[in-house]
Amino acid sequence: MKTCLIVDDSRVIRTVARRILVELGFEVDEAADGSIALEKCRARMPDGILLDWNMPVMSGIEFLRALRADPGGTQPKVILCTTENDISHIREAIAAGADEYVMKPFDREILESKFEQVGLGG
């Protein structure tokens, strides 16, 4: 079974994303910020990561840079999820190592499409 780590400081977003990803066949874990997510990845690297941009403690971009520098950290497919939609944010996310980018709010169709685009579709 494919694994996905949802990293978002919003419990509501994590709950919605979890429901969608479980329906898509993923085993799901959650983290409320980037530092917790990094610990979880170091313990067990997921296949995919749905990553919020703006979080306390460690932002999505900070997490992504740290993840990509870790051994094995280049393997997970990372979809950055945010309300930021200007091109400079998208460029920064891709430069930091994001594989895809999705805008909030999202729905099942959008997430399914993005996970298929990065090679983690059903």
Side-chain angles (χ1 to χ4, degrees):
M1 182 177 273
K2 297 169 293 204
T3 58
C4 185
L5 178 63
I6 301 166
V7 187
D8 200 300
D9 57 322
S10 165
R11 188 177 51 78
V12 171
I13 295 290
R14 291 194 314 268
T15 299
V16 169
R18 173 185 282 276
R19 187 175 64 244
I20 292 168
L21 290 167
V22 166
E23 288 175 4
L24 294 176
F26 285 89
E27 178 185 320
V28 177
D29 196 5
E30 299 178 18
D33 65 56
S35 65
I36 295 168
L38 203 52
E39 288 175 24
K40 288 183 180 246
C41 287
R42 288 173 176 160
R44 181 177 178 225
M45 199 64 76
D47 297 311
I49 300 172
L50 183 63
L51 178 64
D52 185 25
W53 185 299
N54 297 308
M55 295 179 290
V57 185
M58 178 186 268
S59 74
I61 291 292
E62 291 168 331
F63 162 81
L64 187 52
R65 289 184 178 128
L67 173 74
R68 293 306 195 204
D70 270 5
T74 58
Q75 292 181 320
K77 298 297 184 182
V78 177
I79 299 174
L80 201 65
C81 182
T82 186
T83 56
E84 307 288 346
N85 67 350
D86 64 78
I87 196 73
S88 66
H89 278 91
I90 296 169
R91 281 196 194 111
E92 184 178 0
I94 300 302
D99 295 287
E100 253 308 332
Y101 194 90
V102 66
M103 295 298 302
K104 288 180 182 176
F106 54 78
D107 60 19
R108 179 191 165 121
E109 188 177 312
I110 292 167
L111 280 190
E112 188 171 17
S113 168
K114 292 295 182 178
F115 275 88
E116 283 177 4
Q117 286 176 29
V118 300
L120 291 176

